[in-house]
Amino acid sequence: MIENGEFTIRSYEYYMRYALKEAEKAYQKDEVPIGAVIVKNDKIIAKAHNLREKSQDAIAHAEVLAIRKACKKLHSWRLSGCDLYVTLEPCAMCAGAIIQSRIGQLIIGTMDPKAGAGGSVVNLFGIEQFNHKVDVIQGVLQQECADLLKRFFRELRQRN
């Protein structure tokens, strides 16, 4: 999966598929289907999906929950050397958590034109004044990630 010390698109897709599995778990719980996994040294160290509705917790986003799990596993708030895969572009809160946790690379499935803070509405990762920079890759398994969200919201509208 790694060629010349760099990830190939295939490896990005490999880990994004795990994030999609997490998003499917959220879907089954009537949560907005967003999933996240954190990878360090080619190993998934944390995975999570949205739980805002079930927990009635405004910050129970997939990214935040995965970051918490990874910090606990590594016994550190610094997630240097970790990559975060998420099926939907992070909101401003999650983008801030990603920057603050020192994640090295963010891999996004599909963009969020209504609340995205990784380039759609704003780009917090592009602010030069922040003391930590996150490399961002967009569009990995974009269609699958977008289709899951579209299906969820279509079904939600039909029920209401």
Coordinates of all heavy atoms in Angstrom, one line a residue, residues 65-134:
L65 N -15.0 12.3 18.8 CA -15.0 11.1 19.5 C -13.8 10.2 19.2 O -13.2 9.6 20.0 CB -16.3 10.3 19.2 CG -17.6 11.0 19.7 CD1 -18.9 10.2 19.2 CD2 -17.7 11.2 21.2
A66 N -13.4 10.2 17.9 CA -12.2 9.5 17.5 C -11.0 10.1 18.1 O -10.1 9.4 18.5 CB -12.1 9.4 16.0
I67 N -10.9 11.4 18.1 CA -9.7 12.1 18.7 C -9.6 11.7 20.2 O -8.6 11.4 20.7 CB -9.8 13.6 18.5 CG1 -9.5 13.9 17.0 CG2 -8.9 14.4 19.4 CD1 -9.8 15.4 16.6
R68 N -10.8 11.7 20.9 CA -10.7 11.4 22.3 C -10.2 10.0 22.5 O -9.4 9.7 23.4 CB -12.1 11.5 22.9 CG -12.6 12.9 23.2 CD -14.0 12.9 23.7 NE -14.4 14.3 24.1 CZ -15.7 14.6 24.3 NH1 -16.6 13.7 24.1 NH2 -16.0 15.8 24.6
K69 N -10.7 9.0 21.7 CA -10.2 7.6 21.8 C -8.8 7.5 21.5 O -8.0 6.8 22.2 CB -11.0 6.7 20.9 CG -12.5 6.5 21.3 CD -13.2 5.7 20.3 CE -14.7 5.5 20.7 NZ -15.4 4.6 19.6
A70 N -8.3 8.2 20.5 CA -6.9 8.1 20.1 C -6.0 8.7 21.2 O -4.9 8.1 21.5 CB -6.6 8.8 18.8
C71 N -6.4 9.8 21.8 CA -5.6 10.4 22.9 C -5.6 9.5 24.1 O -4.5 9.3 24.7 CB -6.3 11.7 23.3 SG -6.1 13.1 22.2
K72 N -6.6 8.8 24.4 CA -6.7 7.9 25.5 C -5.7 6.7 25.2 O -5.0 6.3 26.0 CB -8.1 7.4 25.7 CG -8.2 6.5 26.9 CD -9.7 6.2 27.2 CE -9.8 5.4 28.5 NZ -11.2 5.1 28.9
K73 N -5.8 6.2 24.0 CA -4.9 5.0 23.6 C -3.5 5.4 23.6 O -2.6 4.6 24.1 CB -5.3 4.5 22.2 CG -4.5 3.3 21.8 CD -5.1 2.7 20.6 CE -4.3 1.4 20.2 NZ -4.8 0.2 20.8
L74 N -3.1 6.6 23.2 CA -1.7 7.0 23.1 C -1.3 7.7 24.4 O -0.1 8.1 24.5 CB -1.5 8.0 21.9 CG -1.7 7.4 20.5 CD1 -1.5 8.4 19.5 CD2 -0.8 6.1 20.3
H75 N -2.2 7.9 25.3 CA -1.9 8.6 26.6 C -1.2 10.0 26.4 O -0.3 10.4 27.0 CB -0.9 7.7 27.5 CG -1.4 6.4 27.7 ND1 -2.5 6.1 28.5 CD2 -1.0 5.2 27.2 CE1 -2.7 4.8 28.5 NE2 -1.9 4.2 27.7
S76 N -1.8 10.7 25.4 CA -1.3 12.0 25.0 C -2.4 12.8 24.3 O -3.1 12.2 23.5 CB -0.1 11.9 24.1 OG 0.4 13.1 23.7
W77 N -2.4 14.1 24.5 CA -3.3 14.9 23.7 C -2.7 15.2 22.3 O -3.4 15.7 21.4 CB -3.7 16.2 24.4 CG -2.5 17.1 24.7 CD1 -1.7 17.1 25.8 CD2 -2.0 18.1 23.8 NE1 -0.8 18.1 25.7 CE2 -0.9 18.7 24.5 CE3 -2.4 18.6 22.6 CZ2 -0.2 19.8 23.9 CZ3 -1.7 19.6 22.0 CH2 -0.6 20.2 22.7
R78 N -1.4 15.0 22.2 CA -0.7 15.2 20.9 C -0.8 14.0 20.0 O -0.3 12.9 20.4 CB 0.7 15.6 21.1 CG 0.9 16.9 21.8 CD 2.4 17.2 22.0 NE 2.6 18.4 22.8 CZ 2.7 18.4 24.1 NH1 2.6 17.3 24.8 NH2 2.9 19.6 24.7
L79 N -1.5 14.1 18.9 CA -1.6 13.0 18.0 C -0.7 13.2 16.8 O -1.1 12.9 15.6 CB -3.1 12.9 17.5 CG -4.1 12.6 18.7 CD1 -5.5 12.5 18.1 CD2 -3.7 11.4 19.4
S80 N 0.5 13.6 17.0 CA 1.5 13.8 16.0 C 1.7 12.4 15.3 O 1.8 11.4 16.0 CB 2.8 14.3 16.6 OG 2.6 15.5 17.2
G81 N 1.9 12.5 14.0 CA 2.1 11.2 13.3 C 0.8 10.5 13.0 O 0.9 9.4 12.4
C82 N -0.3 11.0 13.3 CA -1.6 10.4 13.1 C -2.3 11.0 11.9 O -2.1 12.2 11.6 CB -2.5 10.5 14.3 SG -1.9 9.5 15.7
D83 N -3.0 10.2 11.2 CA -3.9 10.7 10.1 C -5.3 10.4 10.4 O -5.7 9.4 11.0 CB -3.6 9.9 8.8 CG -2.1 10.0 8.3 OD1 -1.5 11.1 8.6 OD2 -1.6 9.1 7.8
L84 N -6.2 11.4 10.1 CA -7.6 11.2 10.4 C -8.4 11.1 9.0 O -8.2 12.0 8.2 CB -8.1 12.4 11.1 CG -9.7 12.5 11.3 CD1 -10.1 11.5 12.4 CD2 -10.1 13.9 11.7
Y85 N -9.2 10.1 8.9 CA -10.0 9.9 7.8 C -11.4 10.1 8.2 O -11.9 9.6 9.2 CB -9.9 8.4 7.3 CG -8.6 8.1 6.7 CD1 -7.5 7.8 7.5 CD2 -8.4 7.9 5.3 CE1 -6.2 7.5 6.9 CE2 -7.2 7.6 4.7 CZ -6.1 7.4 5.6 OH -4.9 7.1 5.0
V86 N -12.1 11.0 7.5 CA -13.5 11.3 7.8 C -14.4 11.4 6.5 O -13.9 11.9 5.5 CB -13.6 12.6 8.7 CG1 -13.1 13.8 7.9 CG2 -15.0 12.8 9.2
T87 N -15.6 10.9 6.6 CA -16.4 10.8 5.4 C -17.0 12.1 5.0 O -17.3 12.2 3.8 CB -17.5 9.8 5.7 OG1 -18.3 10.2 6.8 CG2 -17.0 8.4 5.9
L88 N -17.1 13.1 5.9 CA -17.6 14.4 5.5 C -16.7 15.5 6.1 O -16.1 15.3 7.2 CB -19.0 14.6 6.1 CG -19.7 16.0 5.8 CD1 -20.0 16.1 4.3 CD2 -20.9 16.1 6.6
E89 N -16.4 16.5 5.3 CA -15.6 17.6 5.6 C -15.9 18.1 7.0 O -17.1 18.3 7.4 CB -15.8 18.7 4.6 CG -15.0 20.0 4.9 CD -15.4 21.1 4.0 OE1 -16.3 20.9 3.1 OE2 -14.8 22.2 4.0
P90 N -15.0 18.3 7.9 CA -15.2 18.7 9.3 C -15.8 20.1 9.4 O -15.6 21.0 8.5 CB -13.8 18.7 9.9 CG -13.0 17.8 9.1 CD -13.5 18.0 7.7
C91 N -16.6 20.3 10.4 CA -17.2 21.6 10.8 C -16.1 22.4 11.4 O -15.0 21.9 11.7 CB -18.4 21.4 11.7 SG -18.0 20.8 13.3
A92 N -16.4 23.6 11.8 CA -15.4 24.5 12.4 C -14.9 23.9 13.8 O -13.7 23.9 14.1 CB -15.9 25.9 12.6
M93 N -15.8 23.4 14.6 CA -15.5 22.8 15.9 C -14.5 21.6 15.7 O -13.4 21.5 16.3 CB -16.7 22.3 16.6 CG -16.4 21.6 17.9 SD -17.9 20.8 18.6 CE -18.3 19.5 17.5
C94 N -14.8 20.7 14.7 CA -14.0 19.6 14.5 C -12.6 20.0 13.9 O -11.6 19.4 14.2 CB -14.7 18.5 13.7 SG -16.1 17.8 14.5
A95 N -12.7 20.9 13.0 CA -11.4 21.4 12.4 C -10.5 22.0 13.5 O -9.3 21.7 13.5 CB -11.7 22.5 11.3
G96 N -11.1 22.7 14.4 CA -10.3 23.2 15.5 C -9.7 22.1 16.4 O -8.5 22.1 16.8
A97 N -10.5 21.1 16.6 CA -10.0 19.9 17.4 C -8.9 19.2 16.7 O -7.9 18.7 17.3 CB -11.1 19.0 17.7
I98 N -9.0 19.1 15.4 CA -8.0 18.4 14.6 C -6.7 19.2 14.6 O -5.6 18.6 14.8 CB -8.5 18.3 13.1 CG1 -9.6 17.3 13.0 CG2 -7.3 17.9 12.2 CD1 -10.4 17.3 11.8
I99 N -6.7 20.5 14.5 CA -5.5 21.4 14.6 C -5.0 21.3 16.0 O -3.8 21.1 16.2 CB -5.9 22.8 14.2 CG1 -6.2 22.9 12.8 CG2 -4.7 23.7 14.6 CD1 -6.9 24.2 12.3
Q100 N -5.8 21.4 17.0 CA -5.3 21.4 18.4 C -4.7 20.1 18.8 O -3.8 20.0 19.7 CB -6.4 21.7 19.4 CG -6.9 23.2 19.3 CD -5.7 24.1 19.6 OE1 -5.0 24.0 20.6 NE2 -5.6 25.2 18.8
S101 N -5.2 19.0 18.2 CA -4.6 17.6 18.6 C -3.4 17.3 17.8 O -2.8 16.2 18.0 CB -5.7 16.6 18.4 OG -6.0 16.4 17.0
R102 N -3.0 18.2 16.9 CA -1.7 18.0 16.2 C -1.7 16.9 15.2 O -0.7 16.3 14.8 CB -0.5 17.9 17.1 CG -0.3 18.9 18.2 CD -0.1 20.3 17.6 NE 0.3 21.2 18.6 CZ -0.4 22.1 19.2 NH1 -1.7 22.1 19.1 NH2 0.1 22.9 20.1
I103 N -2.9 16.5 14.7 CA -3.0 15.5 13.6 C -2.3 16.0 12.4 O -2.3 17.2 12.0 CB -4.5 15.2 13.3 CG1 -5.1 14.4 14.4 CG2 -4.7 14.5 12.0 CD1 -6.5 14.1 14.4
G104 N -1.5 15.1 11.8 CA -0.7 15.5 10.7 C -1.4 15.6 9.3 O -1.1 16.5 8.5
Q105 N -2.3 14.6 9.1 CA -3.0 14.6 7.8 C -4.4 14.3 8.0 O -4.8 13.4 8.7 CB -2.3 13.6 6.9 CG -2.8 13.7 5.4 CD -2.0 12.7 4.5 OE1 -1.9 11.6 4.8 NE2 -1.5 13.3 3.5
L106 N -5.3 15.1 7.2 CA -6.7 14.9 7.2 C -7.1 14.4 5.8 O -6.8 15.1 4.9 CB -7.4 16.2 7.6 CG -8.9 16.2 7.4 CD1 -9.6 15.3 8.4 CD2 -9.4 17.7 7.5
I107 N -7.8 13.3 5.8 CA -8.3 12.8 4.5 C -9.8 12.8 4.5 O -10.5 12.2 5.4 CB -7.8 11.3 4.3 CG1 -6.3 11.3 4.2 CG2 -8.4 10.8 2.9 CD1 -5.6 11.1 5.5
I108 N -10.4 13.6 3.6 CA -11.8 13.9 3.6 C -12.5 13.1 2.5 O -12.0 13.1 1.3 CB -12.1 15.4 3.4 CG1 -11.5 16.2 4.5 CG2 -13.6 15.7 3.2 CD1 -11.5 17.7 4.3
G109 N -13.7 12.5 2.8 CA -14.4 11.8 1.7 C -15.1 12.8 0.8 O -14.8 13.0 -0.3
T110 N -16.1 13.5 1.4 CA -16.9 14.5 0.6 C -17.0 15.8 1.3 O -16.9 15.8 2.5 CB -18.3 13.9 0.2 OG1 -18.9 14.7 -0.8 CG2 -19.2 13.9 1.4
M111 N -17.1 16.8 0.5 CA -17.2 18.2 1.1 C -18.6 18.6 1.6 O -19.6 18.0 1.2 CB -16.7 19.2 0.1 CG -15.2 18.9 -0.4 SD -14.0 18.8 0.9 CE -13.7 20.5 1.1
D112 N -18.6 19.6 2.5 CA -19.9 20.0 3.1 C -20.1 21.5 2.8 O -19.5 22.4 3.5 CB -19.8 19.8 4.6 CG -21.1 20.2 5.3 OD1 -22.0 20.7 4.6 OD2 -21.2 19.9 6.5
P113 N -20.8 21.8 1.7 CA -21.0 23.2 1.3 C -21.8 24.0 2.3 O -21.9 25.2 2.1 CB -21.7 23.0 -0.1 CG -22.4 21.7 0.0 CD -21.6 20.8 0.9
K114 N -22.4 23.4 3.3 CA -23.2 24.2 4.3 C -22.5 24.5 5.6 O -22.7 25.5 6.2 CB -24.5 23.5 4.6 CG -25.4 23.4 3.4 CD -26.7 22.8 3.7 CE -27.6 22.8 2.5 NZ -28.9 22.2 2.8
A115 N -21.5 23.7 5.9 CA -20.9 23.9 7.2 C -19.4 23.5 7.2 O -18.8 23.4 8.3 CB -21.6 23.1 8.3
G116 N -18.8 23.2 6.1 CA -17.4 22.7 6.0 C -16.4 23.8 6.3 O -16.5 24.9 5.9
A117 N -15.4 23.3 7.1 CA -14.4 24.3 7.5 C -13.0 23.8 7.0 O -12.0 24.2 7.5 CB -14.3 24.4 9.1
G118 N -13.0 23.0 6.0 CA -11.8 22.5 5.3 C -11.7 23.0 3.9 O -11.0 22.4 3.1
G119 N -12.4 24.0 3.6 CA -12.3 24.6 2.2 C -13.7 25.0 1.6 O -13.7 25.8 0.7
S120 N -14.8 24.4 2.1 CA -16.1 24.7 1.5 C -16.6 26.1 1.9 O -16.8 26.9 1.0 CB -17.1 23.6 1.8 OG -16.8 22.4 1.1
V121 N -16.9 26.2 3.2 CA -17.4 27.5 3.7 C -16.2 28.4 4.1 O -16.1 29.5 3.8 CB -18.4 27.3 4.8 CG1 -18.9 28.6 5.4 CG2 -19.6 26.5 4.4
V122 N -15.4 27.8 4.9 CA -14.1 28.4 5.3 C -13.0 27.4 5.3 O -13.3 26.2 5.1 CB -14.2 29.0 6.8 CG1 -15.2 30.1 6.9 CG2 -14.5 27.9 7.8
N123 N -11.8 27.8 5.4 CA -10.7 26.8 5.4 C -9.8 27.1 6.6 O -8.8 27.9 6.5 CB -9.9 26.8 4.1 CG -8.8 25.8 4.1 OD1 -8.7 24.9 5.0 ND2 -8.0 25.8 3.1
L124 N -10.1 26.5 7.8 CA -9.3 26.8 9.0 C -7.9 26.2 8.8 O -7.0 26.6 9.4 CB -10.0 26.2 10.2 CG -11.3 26.9 10.6 CD1 -11.9 26.2 11.9 CD2 -11.1 28.3 10.8
F125 N -7.8 25.2 8.0 CA -6.5 24.5 7.8 C -5.5 25.4 7.0 O -4.3 25.1 6.9 CB -6.7 23.1 7.1 CG -7.5 22.3 7.9 CD1 -8.8 21.9 7.5 CD2 -7.1 21.8 9.2 CE1 -9.7 21.1 8.2 CE2 -8.0 20.9 9.9 CZ -9.2 20.6 9.5
G126 N -6.1 26.4 6.3 CA -5.2 27.3 5.5 C -4.8 28.6 6.2 O -4.1 29.4 5.6
I127 N -5.1 28.7 7.5 CA -4.8 29.9 8.2 C -3.3 29.8 8.6 O -2.9 28.9 9.4 CB -5.7 30.2 9.4 CG1 -7.1 30.4 8.9 CG2 -5.2 31.3 10.3 CD1 -8.2 30.5 10.0
E128 N -2.5 30.7 8.0 CA -1.0 30.6 8.3 C -0.6 30.9 9.7 O 0.4 30.4 10.1 CB -0.3 31.6 7.3 CG -0.4 31.2 5.8 CD 0.3 29.8 5.6 OE1 1.4 29.6 6.1 OE2 -0.3 29.0 4.8
Q129 N -1.4 31.7 10.4 CA -1.0 32.1 11.8 C -1.1 30.9 12.8 O -0.5 31.0 13.8 CB -1.9 33.3 12.2 CG -1.6 34.5 11.5 CD -2.4 34.6 10.2 OE1 -3.1 33.7 9.8 NE2 -2.2 35.7 9.5
F130 N -1.9 29.9 12.5 CA -1.9 28.8 13.4 C -0.6 28.1 13.6 O 0.2 28.0 12.6 CB -3.0 27.7 13.0 CG -4.4 28.2 13.2 CD1 -5.4 27.7 12.4 CD2 -4.8 29.0 14.2 CE1 -6.7 28.1 12.5 CE2 -6.1 29.4 14.4 CZ -7.1 28.9 13.5
N131 N -0.3 27.6 14.8 CA 1.0 27.1 15.0 C 1.2 25.6 14.5 O 2.3 25.1 14.5 CB 1.4 27.1 16.5 CG 0.4 26.2 17.4 OD1 -0.7 26.0 17.0 ND2 0.9 25.8 18.5
H132 N 0.1 25.0 14.1 CA 0.2 23.6 13.6 C -0.5 23.6 12.2 O -1.6 24.1 12.0 CB -0.5 22.7 14.5 CG -0.5 21.3 14.0 ND1 0.7 20.5 13.9 CD2 -1.5 20.5 13.5 CE1 0.4 19.3 13.4 NE2 -0.9 19.3 13.1
K133 N 0.1 22.9 11.3 CA -0.4 22.8 9.9 C -0.9 21.4 9.7 O -0.2 20.4 10.1 CB 0.6 23.1 8.9 CG 1.2 24.6 9.0 CD 0.1 25.6 8.8 CE 0.6 27.0 8.9 NZ 0.0 27.7 10.0
V134 N -2.0 21.2 9.1 CA -2.6 19.9 8.8 C -2.6 19.8 7.3 O -3.1 20.7 6.6 CB -4.0 19.7 9.4 CG1 -4.6 18.4 9.0 CG2 -4.0 19.9 10.9

